[in-house]
Structure formats: structure tokens, C-alpha cells
Amino acid sequence: MSFEIDRNILIAADESQNSQRAVTYVDKPLGGIQGFKVTVLYIISEPEEDYFNNVCDEDKWYNEYRQQVDHTLDKYRNILIDSGFNPEYVSIHSTIRYCPSMAECILAERHNAEYSTLVVGRRGLTYKEEILLGSISGKIVRPAKNCTVWVVE
């Protein structure tokens, strides 16, 4: 019996230590094994509309934040390449949040590109905080369909 393993992995990331642990968690067991394609995704959450005094302030914030996001994504890409992933198969992607919740955007990105594995870092909320606020990882695990979800603590 033969079957094809889908080796497309999406890592949802930000600047947090939990995201870096998620990237490292993927690179340790899979780095150097041929055939895996990895995309590191960063979804940018914009401040509320009334956060800025004018359009110039908004543009300045966006340009500075975009540079920070690009730097973070490049760092994660280099971690994966240094661990043995083929540079051709490691990509980075950022987008402005376009869904009501971060979890919905991550799931939409996973679905659109048909990744078989989704990796997220766990934010480390206490039990009470998680009940009150909910967690992104929890909001991803429950509705995720047709994929494997790794939640890295």
C-alpha cells in the first residue's frame, strides 16, 4: 500500500518567544529531510482607526511595523534554512488581518494554500485568562479540518 504524504507546513508566527519556539520545534525534527515545504506566516493586526492623528502617522507606523515584521520573518526563514531546509522550499508571507479574529485569518490562509500541517505557538495564558479571553491556539484546534495542528508551548 502506497500513499503520498503532503509535506506543506504553515507556521503562524509573530515576534514572541512562543513563535520562535514553534519555528525551532519544526526545524529540529524536520530540518534536513527532503520534501518539506514551509511557509512562515505573520498576520499584522492594525491599531484601531482612532489610534492615529492623521494619515501620515498611519503610513509611518505601517512602514516601520512592516520593516519589523520583515526582519522577524527573515530571521525565522534563516533559522529553518540553517537547520537544513532547502531555501527554495522555505517562504515567508505577511498580510494585514482581514478576518474578525486572528485565528480565523490563520485558518483561512491554511485553507487557501492547502497546508497539511499548521503550527502555532501557545501564548502561555493561565487557565483563568484562557477561559476569559480565549486563546488563538484553542480557536484554531477546534474548527481545523483536514490538517494536523501542532500547538507548541
Side-chain angles (χ1 to χ4, degrees):
M1 185 161 103
S2 174
F3 60 94
E4 181 67 28
I5 296 174
D6 187 349
R7 297 177 175 212
N8 293 325
I9 300 171
L10 178 66
I11 304 172
D14 57 22
E15 290 113 358
S16 71
Q17 289 181 345
N18 292 335
S19 288
Q20 186 159 345
R21 277 195 292 275
V23 171
T24 303
Y25 187 84
V26 170
D27 84 4
K28 296 295 184 211
L30 301 179
I33 299 174
Q34 297 301 310
F36 284 96
K37 295 178 182 176
V38 180
T39 300
V40 183
L41 169 69
Y42 194 118
I43 297 176
I44 299 169
S45 235
E46 291 184 299
E48 298 294 324
E49 288 181 27
D50 60 350
Y51 182 82
F52 303 106
N53 293 327
N54 56 50
V55 174
C56 291
D57 287 347
E58 184 176 359
D59 289 343
K60 181 181 177 195
W61 176 88
Y62 180 76
N63 290 332
E64 289 173 0
Y65 195 68
R66 175 60 80 174
Q67 287 178 344
Q68 183 179 339
V69 167
D70 290 346
H71 174 74
T72 299
L73 288 173
D74 286 338
K75 179 177 86 171
Y76 292 155
R77 183 174 189 276
N78 289 330
I79 289 171
L80 293 165
I81 291 169
D82 290 345
S83 73
F85 281 93
N86 183 335
E88 292 180 36
Y89 297 132
V90 178
S91 60
I92 55 177
H93 175 63
S94 63
T95 186
I96 295 175
R97 187 172 120 183
Y98 55 89
C99 301
S101 77
M102 192 68 73
E104 288 176 287
C105 281
I106 293 168
L107 287 169
E109 292 287 324
R110 192 229 50 97
H111 178 75
N112 291 340
E114 298 181 354
Y115 292 95
S116 62
T117 302
L118 174 58
V119 182
V120 295
R122 189 164 180 270
R123 194 164 64 173
L125 298 175
T126 67
Y127 181 72
K128 288 180 182 178
E129 289 171 329
E130 195 165 321
I131 296 287
L132 188 62
L133 304 172
S135 70
I136 293 173
S137 58
K139 292 174 184 174
I140 287 173
V141 169
R142 288 180 206 95
K145 302 284 186 238
N146 301 320
C147 73
T148 301
V149 179
W150 294 354
V151 179
V152 179
E153 185 166 18

